[in-house]
Amino acid sequence: MISDRVRCVQFLFSCLKACKILNISMPIVSLPELKACLKPNQCLLGIDLGSTTIGMAISDVSLVVASPLDTLKRGKFKDDSEKLLALIKERCVGGLVLGLPLNMNGR
């Protein structure tokens, strides 16, 4: 069985591939480098990839606060990615922050 971390990395690279096809530029960078990559008025989309749902949160454009946005019930990757890409365009998202899963004990 594929581990949750491997599944998250596969999901991230699939999203980046879809962004490239749609001519959306999102390089992979460290958190300290992320702010410099954003254009004015872009925000960040936080993604919590679960086995049955995808939780999402959106930042404000000043990158100070993130607020819960929505939860998608997972289905086929094509359908999930289309919803995420539409949200990226609609909300002027300049970067994705993918949460890596932890065990219930926080490790």
Side-chain angles (χ1 to χ4, degrees):
M1 185 167 186
I2 297 175
S3 75
D4 287 339
R5 288 182 185 261
V6 171
R7 188 168 34 89
C8 281
V9 171
Q10 288 174 334
F11 180 81
L12 175 63
F13 281 106
S14 296
C15 284
L16 290 171
K17 183 178 177 183
C19 286
K20 185 175 182 178
I21 291 168
L22 295 173
N23 202 25
I24 300 171
S25 175
M26 284 196 194
I28 298 175
V29 297
S30 67
L31 285 177
E33 298 170 308
L34 185 56
K35 190 171 185 177
C37 293
L38 298 177
K39 295 176 184 168
N41 297 318
Q42 285 188 321
C43 59
L44 299 175
L45 178 66
I47 299 175
D48 182 12
L49 186 64
S51 57
T52 58
T53 60
I54 300 172
M56 295 177 293
I58 193 93
S59 76
D60 61 340
V61 294
S62 60
L63 308 178
V64 174
V65 176
S67 302
L69 183 61
D70 200 0
T71 303
L72 296 176
K73 183 160 177 62
R74 293 204 47 194
K76 293 182 179 180
F77 177 78
K78 182 180 181 214
D79 297 336
D80 295 343
S81 62
E82 285 174 357
K83 291 175 188 173
L84 286 172
L85 291 170
L87 187 65
I88 287 169
K89 285 188 170 187
E90 174 188 321
R91 294 287 187 136
C92 196
V93 172
L96 303 176
V97 178
L98 183 63
L100 290 177
L102 299 174
N103 294 328
M104 293 301 287
N105 64 6
R107 294 184 195 177

